[in-house]
Amino acid sequence: MFDALSDKFSGIFEGLRRRGALSEADVNEALREVRLAMLEADVALPVVKDFIARVRERAVGSEVLDAVSPGQQVAKIVNDALVEALGGAGAVPLNLNAPAPIPILLVGLQGSGKTTTAGKLALRLRTRERRRVLLASLDTQRPAAQLQLAQLAERAEVVSLPIVAGQAPVEIARRAMDVGRREGYDVVLLDTAGRLSIDQALMDEVRAIRAATNPVETLLVVDAMTGQDAVNTARAFHEALGITGVVLTRMDGDARGGAALSMRQVTGAPIKFSGSGEKIDALDEFHPERVAGRILGLGDIVGLVERAAETIDQDEAERLAKKMLKGSFTLEDYAAQLKQIGKMGSLGSIVGMLPGLGHLKQKIEDANLDQTVFKRQQAIISSMTIQERRQPEIIKASRKKRIAAGSGTSVTDVNRLLKQFDDMSTMMKKMGKMGQKGLMRGGLSALMAQAQQGGRGNPRRPF
Amino acid sequence: MAGFFSRLKQGLSRSTQKLTGGLAAITKRRLDDEALEELEETLIAADLGPAVAKRIIANFRRTRFGTEVTDREIRESLATEIATILEPVAQPFRLDPTRKPHVVLVVGVNGTGKTTTIGKLALQFREENKKPVLVAGDTFRAAAVEQLQIWGERTKSPVIAGATNADAAGLAFEALTRAQRDQADVLLIDTAGRLHNKAALMEELRKIIRVLRKQDETAPHSVLLVLDATTGQNAIQQVRVFKEMVDVTGLVVTKLDGSARGGIVVALAEEFGIPVHAVGVGEQAGDLRAFEAVDFARGLVGEPETAPG
Ligand SMILES: Nc1nc2c(ncn2[C@@H]2O[C@H](COP(=O)(O)OP(=O)(O)OP(=O)(O)O)[C@@H](O)[C@H]2O)c(=O)[nH]1
Ligand SMILES: Nc1nc2c(ncn2[C@@H]2O[C@H](COP(=O)(O)OP(=O)(O)OP(=O)(O)O)[C@@H](O)[C@H]2O)c(=O)[nH]1
Ligand SMILES: [Mg+2]
Ligand SMILES: [Mg+2]
């Protein structure tokens, strides 16, 4: 799906490039595709309309008239506008500038991931911010909800408020704040029951909880797979509570995550974190510039680099990232990355992040080949000479035969790898050229800045 | 029973308000391009997806373009059009009485309502004087076992559970053996939520099926995929992968008591034709209803549901 959309996009924009000048009709044609792409990515219709109107205004203006390559220009305008609409480059941290105990309230629809996120935030606050955290579940609705949070607290090695049967949510909230004050906690995380935005009784209840605790952050937890209803949910929760931040869960899935844009537009609140798994450490800062590419279906190369950074050391990740950007990524680098891939979990999701390899992802999933493809590729690269790895163009028929024999594969396999590597390099070069505020610059520099911070005895990725 | 029916009605009429708002603008006027575009947008906003919405409206244009219509007429005929797509998949869930037990594997992505739906189904079977047995196959998530155990208590159904992090396949095998011995009518196996793009987790589900088949080669007799009505276009990919990996036999759509319309079901019916057995309309045990094509379609376009019979 990613791939089809990239193709569609480059198709239109190449069309524009050929024609040279950019007319209003050209812009409209491109924007029709953008509209469709956004709807397919589940951006809510009113938000799409608003966005398209803004981009049209910018695109048909003078900026574009001087453009050397109008197609690229439109692509850049769309991407920049989307990044901006999502909150601009860089992540927005939790607001912890308040006297302790700092109350943080988590709200959202049923099953969106509130309780899990509460556990993840607790771990993060304890390990990265070195705060004393108290977890409290105000969920008296769902069976075993309070026990669920208590178990997560154990995993996060933080304290959870003792469960008192029969207490109402508002009472539990007050008790949590009392304990927080008395026992000197820095942060009190309040997990609430899932509720529908149209359920008046439960919305009143959460209003009362808010009034009783006066939270510094009221985080709306939303599933990245959410469809058009995102606007209704966002509006209702925002009107009732004044949302200060959004957490987008299940970004480890393959949903394009258009709900992010809907949420941001309706609440105006920054998206602060994204959930990337069920485990307690699977919470990432939210980087708008990466999700923009995902919503437009352009792949998430920075996400790939960052996930690699969790397993490879920072220097190596930085080196690979720079090379990817410059387009000087060699087969040697690719082999180094393949080695890490085994450690990085789901193959399909990683391959899906590599631009231009969307088709491979589908194939891998269809054939259920799993890791064997990459093992084979590693074998092929290791049968090459150093010179061959650095300059794959010198690999002609006889060298191919030798490499195939050496790696126990066929010449077809070797060809396939070379072709794939070539496609990958082309894609990377294209992305690198997208300009200063292009697709990934912001993301990478942000990543590098964080990597540097990591050197100051506060490891960014302790897990 | 009246309680949850009116609750569903409440949910639907709220949606009706919203959708009618959009449609009211084209009351009693010529069904022209502009009016049709508004209708198409109404469908998109209900999660039918841009392609399906476009196709339905194109059909609609062929028959109705240029006619003078009232708001009501439009909604009636649009609902009829959509109901035609949904009718073939509206199939109630039925137990095969020759199976002792009828093995039901309940699957889906995280947080859609699998465990709750098992509780609701257990109540339904109990009310039919059947003997259900529940299996706490989610050995991963915090307090998942305890959650199902509470559903077992609520519905007076036995729950078979293993140790935390126990092998779900092994547990399912053991549960099937016991259910056969105890002459249970239906074995409802809960599983951990999993995203369809995680190959290893999908493989784990296949393993459960392989192991069940060692005991009963016809098992599982049903594989129910639980879908959240708030899900957008990604539901298509979910159904595609789960169907391919574990041969889904039917869908349950949950959380239809909310403001989400679940229009993706129309796209799913067109693309896969997998039966939709039931809809979830609340968090209580009684909040499960059969999927009715006409009512659902009316809900989508903002036409009131037919009166309860
Ligand atoms: N893959 C994935 N699963 C997640 C993520 N966040 C939460 N989950 C899973 O989603 C399911 C629901 O999470 P919960 O934390 O129980 O959701 P909740 O919002 O507290 O649910 P209620 O309290 O019932 O409203 C669980 O299976 C979690 O493991 C995520 O980022 N990725
Ligand atoms: N309003 C409403 N809530 C529902 C419905 N079905 C389930 N829920 C709620 O959704 C949340 C998640 O339900 P679960 O049954 O735990 O979901 P699950 O699929 O088992 O979740 P995991 O095992 O974590 O993947 C709970 O808060 C349920 O009460 C429904 O039809 N309507
Ligand atoms: Mg919860
Ligand atoms: Mg469950």
Side-chain angles (χ1 to χ4, degrees):
Chain A
M1 215 200 301
F2 275 157
D3 214 41
L5 205 67
S6 309
D7 289 351
K8 215 192 289 172
F9 256 77
S10 32
I12 304 161
F13 295 135
E14 265 155 32
L16 291 181
R17 205 169 300 143
R18 271 198 308 278
R19 266 172 266 157
L22 190 63
S23 69
E24 189 163 350
D26 285 332
V27 173
N28 283 342
E29 189 192 325
L31 290 185
R32 249 195 303 280
E33 291 295 333
V34 173
R35 174 183 179 274
L36 201 61
M38 293 180 96
L39 287 173
E40 279 166 0
D42 290 322
V43 180
L45 184 63
V47 177
V48 173
K49 284 183 162 180
D50 196 54
F51 178 81
I52 296 287
R54 257 181 297 152
V55 171
R56 176 175 296 120
E57 205 173 286
R58 270 200 225 178
V60 185
S62 55
E63 282 177 90
V64 179
L65 293 179
D66 322 326
V68 188
S69 159
Q72 261 183 336
Q73 189 74 16
V74 177
K76 185 169 158 3
I77 290 170
V78 169
N79 188 69
D80 287 355
L82 190 52
V83 171
E84 199 183 295
L86 282 166
V92 181
L94 270 185
N95 177 9
L96 298 173
N97 295 322
I102 303 169
I104 297 180
L105 184 65
L106 290 109
V107 299
L109 297 180
Q110 284 92 347
S112 62
K114 296 172 293 301
T115 307
T116 309
T117 301
K120 291 175 178 179
L121 282 172
L123 177 71
R124 187 183 183 93
L125 287 168
R126 179 178 71 76
T127 56
R128 296 190 198 189
E129 310 282 342
R130 313 221 173 278
R131 308 279 177 145
R132 284 192 74 213
V133 180
L134 177 67
L135 272 173
S137 167
L138 319 184
D139 186 350
T140 55
Q141 299 272 329
R142 166 169 165 176
Q146 301 191 28
L147 186 64
Q148 182 189 359
L149 190 71
Q151 291 186 6
L152 287 167
E154 257 172 58
R155 287 185 205 171
E157 295 175 40
V158 303
V159 174
S160 63
L161 188 74
I163 298 171
V164 175
Q167 257 192 346
V170 181
E171 289 176 80
I172 304 176
R174 289 212 184 89
R175 181 161 58 94
M177 292 315 296
D178 282 346
V179 171
R181 268 184 292 272
R182 220 177 28 241
E183 299 182 11
Y185 285 96
D186 299 320
V187 179
V188 179
L189 280 171
L190 303 162
D191 176 29
T192 61
R195 66 200 72 225
L196 298 169
S197 58
I198 54 173
D199 188 327
Q200 278 319 319
L202 284 180
M203 290 307 282
D204 286 346
E205 178 201 88
V206 73
R207 266 193 210 99
I209 293 170
R210 189 189 187 289
T213 56
N214 197 18
V216 172
E217 289 269 17
T218 300
L219 302 176
L220 179 62
V221 181
V222 189
D223 183 341
M225 302 183 285
T226 307
Q228 298 285 319
D229 186 55
V231 271
N232 303 325
T233 300
R235 192 173 297 125
F237 277 91
H238 190 53
E239 278 169 9
L241 301 170
I243 297 303
T244 61
V246 175
V247 180
L248 205 61
T249 63
R250 308 201 185 110
M251 284 294 276
D252 47 327
D254 56 6
R256 298 252 298 278
L261 185 60
S262 310
M263 288 288 154
R264 166 78 200 182
Q265 289 301 292
V266 173
T267 64
I271 298 158
K272 298 205 163 175
F273 296 102
S274 62
S276 55
E278 296 161 70
K279 300 227 172 81
I280 194 141
D281 58 352
L283 187 72
D284 301 320
E285 284 148 2
F286 181 85
H287 291 273
E289 64 277 18
R290 296 179 207 172
V291 177
R294 182 162 168 166
I295 291 176
L296 294 174
L298 297 172
D300 181 5
I301 194 169
V302 183
L304 172 81
V305 174
E306 184 165 72
R307 210 182 282 189
E310 293 174 17
T311 34
I312 319 172
D313 64 283
Q314 297 285 1
D315 293 345
E316 175 78 350
E318 201 174 318
R319 189 180 66 81
L320 288 177
K322 274 189 186 145
K323 292 194 116 178
M324 278 187 178
L325 264 187
K326 273 199 262 157
S328 63
F329 192 71
T330 68
L331 273 167
E332 260 179 327
D333 301 320
Y334 186 49
Q337 204 173 62
L338 285 177
K339 237 181 250 166
Q340 304 296 333
I341 280 176
K343 297 189 206 162
M344 293 198 293
S346 163
L347 185 62
S349 68
I350 289 166
V351 177
M353 287 177 176
L354 289 169
L357 295 191
H359 61 288
L360 184 66
K361 176 183 176 180
Q362 199 52 51
K363 261 184 221 143
I364 288 172
E365 277 167 4
D366 289 350
N368 199 20
L369 284 176
D370 219 22
Q371 301 273 353
T372 50
V373 179
F374 282 172
K375 290 235 175 71
R376 193 184 307 145
Q377 293 196 342
Q378 260 176 278
I380 294 172
I381 298 175
S382 64
S383 296
M384 292 177 186
T385 65
I386 291 175
Q387 207 197 354
E388 284 166 350
R389 286 178 214 166
R390 291 187 184 160
Q391 289 171 271
E393 57 278 6
I394 64 171
I395 305 176
K396 299 275 157 13
S398 68
R399 287 182 190 254
K400 283 179 188 166
K401 261 189 223 148
R402 193 205 76 239
I403 294 167
S407 58
T409 60
S410 66
V411 171
T412 322
D413 290 327
V414 178
N415 281 332
R416 202 175 292 143
L417 168 75
L418 291 173
K419 165 86 170 64
Q420 180 193 315
F421 182 73
D422 196 47
D423 291 349
M424 221 166 112
S425 308
T426 313
M427 250 341 254
M428 283 173 189
K429 274 179 205 143
K430 254 195 225 164
M431 298 183 89
K433 275 195 217 131
M434 287 194 79
Q436 282 302 328
K437 279 191 282 170
L439 201 53
M440 8 181 269
R441 290 275 156 100
L444 278 168
S445 42
L447 173 70
M448 284 163 198
Q450 280 156 355
Q452 277 152 14
Q453 266 176 22
R456 295 201 307 258
N458 179 17
R460 208 175 88 69
R461 295 267 169 205
F463 315 109
Chain B
M1 294 272 154
F4 66 74
F5 189 83
S6 58
R7 200 183 301 212
L8 173 72
K9 272 193 79 97
Q10 258 177 14
L12 286 178
S13 60
R14 279 194 194 92
S15 73
T16 306
Q17 278 169 12
K18 181 182 138 233
L19 291 166
T20 316
L23 283 157
I26 51 172
T27 304
K28 282 178 191 155
R29 70 177 210 213
R30 188 169 289 276
L31 199 54
D32 53 13
D33 283 325
E34 197 188 330
L36 283 165
E37 194 182 317
E38 275 179 49
L39 271 183
E40 187 174 324
E41 294 190 342
T42 304
L43 296 184
I44 289 174
D47 279 324
L48 275 85
V52 172
K54 191 173 178 175
R55 195 152 5 95
I56 289 176
I57 296 303
N59 268 340
F60 204 59
R61 163 191 293 271
R62 219 164 290 141
T63 52
R64 307 300 302 252
F65 190 74
T67 53
E68 293 283 346
V69 278
T70 65
D71 174 43
R72 205 187 153 76
E73 278 174 326
I74 298 175
R75 285 189 280 144
E76 282 286 348
S77 51
L78 193 55
T80 310
E81 183 103 25
I82 294 172
T84 329
I85 302 170
L86 295 175
E87 224 110 55
V89 298
Q91 297 170 30
F93 183 71
R94 281 191 222 294
L95 286 185
D96 179 348
T98 65
R99 308 286 178 203
K100 288 270 184 223
H102 180 118
V103 179
V104 182
L105 188 65
V106 180
V107 302
V109 302
N110 311 77
T112 54
K114 295 174 290 300
T115 308
T116 308
T117 300
I118 287 182
K120 293 173 178 176
L121 285 170
L123 178 73
Q124 197 168 303
F125 294 135
R126 292 280 299 156
E127 283 174 347
E128 293 165 11
N129 287 319
K130 295 280 188 334
K131 187 173 167 189
V133 172
L134 320 187
V135 187
D138 181 353
T139 53
F140 178 79
R141 211 207 61 214
V145 172
E146 290 86 347
Q147 185 186 2
L148 191 74
Q149 273 164 340
I150 293 173
W151 280 112
E153 283 162 27
R154 285 187 183 173
T155 61
K156 301 188 173 55
S157 313
V159 177
I160 298 178
T164 321
N165 290 324
D167 172 38
L171 178 70
F173 181 86
E174 190 195 309
L176 178 53
T177 317
R178 272 168 63 184
Q180 283 174 337
R181 192 191 60 207
D182 299 346
Q183 287 283 293
D185 295 299
V186 52
L187 188 69
L188 294 162
I189 306 176
D190 193 13
T191 62
R194 67 200 73 222
L195 291 176
H196 50 282
N197 62 334
K198 303 205 167 172
L201 297 183
M202 295 307 287
E203 196 47 49
E204 221 176 77
L205 269 188
R206 286 158 68 99
K207 183 176 164 203
I208 295 179
I209 294 177
R210 275 200 306 277
V211 170
L212 284 170
R213 285 188 179 150
K214 287 188 192 157
Q215 185 74 9
D216 175 352
E217 62 190 23
T218 64
H221 307 104
S222 307
V223 178
L224 297 185
L225 177 66
V226 179
L227 275 181
D228 183 333
T230 44
T231 308
Q233 301 305 303
N234 192 246
I236 294 174
Q237 195 58 16
Q238 284 174 33
V239 173
R240 178 174 296 131
V241 177
F242 272 98
K243 176 174 179 282
E244 210 174 281
M245 295 296 282
V246 294
D247 219 349
V248 172
T249 61
L251 307 178
V252 176
V253 183
T254 61
K255 308 182 195 174
L256 270 169
D257 46 329
S259 50
R261 308 281 33 92
I264 194 66
V265 171
V266 179
L268 294 173
E270 283 198 331
E271 180 140 8
F272 303 102
I274 298 175
V276 184
H277 294 314
V279 297
V281 293
E283 298 185 73
Q284 305 307 313
D287 296 339
L288 189 73
R289 292 197 43 187
F291 175 77
E292 304 281 356
V294 173
D295 287 349
F296 191 87
R298 283 168 163 255
L300 282 178
V301 302
E303 181 70 358
E305 203 188 346
T306 43

